[in-house]
Amino acid sequence: MKKWIPMLLVSASWPALTAATDQPDTAALQQEARQITQQFGGQLKSLLQAAMASGGPVNAMQVCKVNAPQIADTASKDSGWKVARTASRVRNPANQPDPWEQQVLQDWARQMAAGTAVEQLQPATLVSAAEYRFMQPIATADLCVKCHGAELAPEVRATLAELYPQDQATGFKAGDLRGAFSLRKPL
Ligand code: HEC
């Protein structure tokens, strides 16, 4: 019987120890963030594809302007996360990166300059006492170049000039890093 005592002690003290350090479960948080990102990205892309097919890029502009923030808001309300998009060169000044986001975007850009493909970039995370943050790279696809490329149709250029006079998000080609999904959750 004696043999059992140390084992019982160990197993009894284990939950108490983990509770005392009060560490957030970062693996679970990262998993959750990846799921939300996938869902948000998937919804956006299918809406965008449908709108491009039915009415071309000027019509599809509404998806990026109106639907993207709406889907992000809904995802945020449903999940308790704040879901956003950002980039080094933004179209909408409201999507400007904060210092941490800027640093991650620059780090990814350096990795790509050194030969890493955009698909191989790894998500970034930041944990503080107050919140958990997660960033996932967004690649430029063929579809995106119609509104973010170097050569835009005149009507696309005109619509962008009207809606986004400070637009910096052109000149991209397929395979470039376009920006990032950026998520945060209070802890
Ligand atoms: C029909 C035109 C159009 C297409 C196609 C398009 N975008 Fe955009 N994109 C926009 C507009 C307009 C905004 C600004 C949205 C806003 O006001 O928040 C934007 C914003 C963004 C942002 C947020 C950062 C910023 O620049 O403000 C990212 C990231 C982005 N687009 C990525 C993509 C990717 C990736 C694709 C291809 C899968 C794509 N876009 C295709 C028009 C487009």
Side-chain angles (χ1 to χ4, degrees):
M1 268 314 266
K2 255 190 193 158
K3 264 199 248 166
W4 290 100
I5 292 169
M7 270 180 76
L8 281 172
L9 279 177
V10 167
S11 60
S13 59
W14 167 242
L17 270 179
T18 47
T21 53
D22 208 21
Q23 290 296 326
D25 185 348
T26 50
L29 284 163
Q30 176 156 5
Q31 176 67 19
E32 216 180 302
R34 277 180 192 270
Q35 268 165 10
I36 294 168
T37 306
Q38 231 168 42
Q39 215 175 1
F40 177 42
Q43 270 176 311
L44 259 187
K45 209 163 186 177
S46 50
L47 270 179
L48 194 56
Q49 270 160 349
M52 293 284 274
S54 68
V58 172
N59 166 58
M61 207 75 78
Q62 288 305 313
V63 171
C64 293
K65 187 170 158 49
V66 181
N67 301 58
Q70 267 171 7
I71 302 173
D73 276 356
T74 311
S76 305
K77 282 194 196 97
D78 289 351
S79 63
W81 290 75
K82 192 173 174 297
V83 180
R85 294 187 305 169
T86 188
S88 294
R89 283 157 37 208
V90 292
R91 175 149 291 167
N92 185 338
N95 297 329
Q96 201 74 44
D98 70 14
W100 180 64
E101 290 169 331
Q102 219 160 2
Q103 192 191 317
V104 171
L105 288 162
Q106 278 167 8
D107 184 45
W108 286 337
R110 267 195 298 273
Q111 290 181 47
M112 286 190 66
T116 304
V118 68
E119 296 80 20
Q120 291 167 329
L121 296 174
Q122 293 302 309
T125 59
L126 182 70
V127 193
S128 69
E131 63 176 356
Y132 179 84
R133 300 187 64 176
F134 174 88
M135 273 176 79
Q136 166 130 331
I138 302 178
T140 310
D142 285 332
L143 165 76
C144 321
V145 173
K146 292 259 191 305
C147 295
H148 291 293
E151 283 154 38
L152 302 175
E155 66 274 19
V156 172
R157 198 169 281 285
T159 309
L160 286 174
E162 192 190 322
L163 297 177
Y164 300 97
Q166 296 169 277
D167 186 15
Q168 298 178 295
T170 57
F172 292 87
K173 55 188 190 317
D176 283 348
L177 175 65
R178 174 59 264 273
F181 294 111
S182 184
L183 280 70
R184 53 212 300 173
K185 185 175 196 175
L187 295 175

